[in-house]
Amino acid sequence: MLRGAAAAARRCGLGLGPGSGRGQAGARRCSGAARRRQWARPAGHDSGIVAYNSRSQSKEPLVLGTEGVATWYSCGPTVYDHAHLGHACSYVRFDIIRRIMTRFFGIEVIMVMGITDIDDKIIKRASEMNISPVALARIYEEDFKQDMAALKVLPPTVYMRVTDNIPQIISFIKTIISSGQAYATSQGNVYFDVKSWGKRYGVLTTINPDTQDEAVDSDKRHGKDFALWKAAKPQELSWNSPWGKGRPGWHIECSTISSAVFGKQLDIHTGGIDLAFPHHENEIAQCEVYHQCEQWGNYFLHSGHLHVKGSQEKMSKSLKNYITIKDFLKKCSSDQFRMFCLRGRYSSAVEFSDESMEDAKNLLQAISSFIRDANAYIKGQLVCDPVREDILWERLANTKVTVKAAFADDFDTSRAVAAIMDLIHHGNRQLKAVTKDAGSPRSSVVYGSIISYIEGFFNALGMSFGERQVPVGGDKSAVLSSVIEELVRFRTKIRHYALALPEAADAVPGEGVAGAKEPKQEQKEKRKQLMQERKPLLEACDSLRRDLAAFGIHIKDRAAVSTWETVEGGQTEKQTEKKS
């Protein structure tokens, strides 16, 4: 739909952050054709961090709306297949940033991640597999969450599915239409009118909405207009709307979900650099129309692509050059991949190869070896010459300062890790074993402090030394939970339908008591007939509840919801399903 505009954006260059000279030079070359809007420093509290902001294409002080709290929206996956290392690289890098903010700067992060669980790819894959799009999305949503857990990526504060927010999305679109920045077509589609937004369009890129579009064969007014609502195709999953049956466009989902939680005040928005245009650009336009604000999303942080060695192309499913997270974790540990991510800037492209993973593995082994030797020295198992404690204390203090400064400078993990490795180098230099114990006192405290700091550093970033790395195993409890959830959801719909009987008619005004009795009696008879017809449905629901109880799964029907719980190892797991 936006291939012409996307190509123009690539020609003008998307800022990839420090070190991406080609993108910045490209932006300068195109500055004469279209000017990007100025970024305004938000009011609030300085976090002490400077971050590269794609909105301004420069490093900016990270100012938070609430002191000590960061609101953060993360674009989540489109759940139609297994996640691959390209996805992992982005999510692990941002997990590291989140941990730095929390553990090193004392910032509480409130993160929302949107899950795209209805999409062209989901519909196509579900058709190929002969299952419903909803079932397919639930399978791969759970698969994604398992992969993230295996990579030690912290879950967001809350996941939010697109299909759980359809009414909010429709309301969001109606507001944009009423503001004059969107239009509905006779075919039941709704588009954002990019030209009507004028020079306000083009925050992350140097796209000019007035430039000539490539010709498009659709019901759009202009080539750069993008879909807010898509009319349903035959046999396609859809929802009712003022414009007919359909489903949301891609960009409107994140705008609605983020706004539903954070309103118009959003500190940080993250995603891969490939999402900057058109996805994030369009999100900004939608939200600034909806909220009638000058600047929505104060900081946009983008992670660089993961390239396969010897290729300039990113790892992606469409190029069929990907490695799934599950396959990767059969050979390497999550700590190895995290070290691989730590060694480069999050905003830079990174090359994946066997050699780069071997380098990460060697670094981990060097750290583990030092910790083992230092522990042996503390225990008296390793005898050394007298240690220059003053040098080591000074090195430790300097390392702490360097690490904090590196993290404050756009989360520079490579500089921080280099400082840790330098500390280890100097620690190792004084751990020279001697054959004869001269009886000199051991400097256990300084080495204990160094070990504590190094282990604390890596633990804070999601790594652990000495912990056995277990490959992703066959734990099916999460899958079973999803199956039960779907079963209870289906049962709830059946039960709700069986109980949804029409109310007895009120007396008709002006006909008197006698005249009102006949229609009331007819209504009672109709209700009685419906109750008899639907009774088998309720009996089947009750039978299913009894049968599941025999397996330790207990369903409780309440006024508005049905809940289920199962006892495993003495603990009760509870879930709630709303009636629909």
Side-chain angles (χ1 to χ4, degrees), residues 114-164:
I115 300 288
T116 299
D117 60 342
I118 183 65
D119 173 85
D120 290 335
K121 294 174 181 177
I122 294 172
I123 293 169
K124 182 175 182 291
R125 185 79 191 281
S127 176
E128 292 169 354
M129 295 175 65
N130 198 29
I131 60 175
S132 74
V134 173
L136 178 86
R138 295 296 176 270
I139 290 168
Y140 285 112
E141 178 185 337
E142 190 58 50
D143 188 77
F144 169 78
K145 291 175 181 177
Q146 289 178 10
D147 283 345
M148 292 301 103
L151 290 169
K152 301 182 184 176
V153 173
L154 297 171
T157 309
V158 62
Y159 288 104
M160 294 185 71
R161 297 170 180 156
V162 171
T163 58
D164 290 338

Side-chain angles (χ1 to χ4, degrees), residues 452-473:
S452 178
Y453 178 70
I454 292 172
E455 289 185 334
F457 172 89
F458 286 109
N459 285 338
L461 298 181
M463 301 165 70
S464 50
F465 289 91
E467 179 183 293
R468 182 171 172 265
Q469 294 294 325
V470 182
V472 178

Side-chain angles (χ1 to χ4, degrees), residues 19 109 155 166 240 266 274 451 538 571:
V109 173
I166 300 296
N240 291 321
L266 176 66
D274 52 319
I451 292 171
L538 289 173
Q571 293 185 345

Side-chain angles (χ1 to χ4, degrees), residues 20 107 111 184 213 217 317 346 419 429 438 457 468 482 516-517:
S20 59
I107 298 168
M111 177 185 282
D213 296 312
D217 182 21
K317 290 192 177 78
Y346 73 92
R429 284 180 65 180
F457 172 89
R468 182 171 172 265
S482 294
K517 283 182 179 178

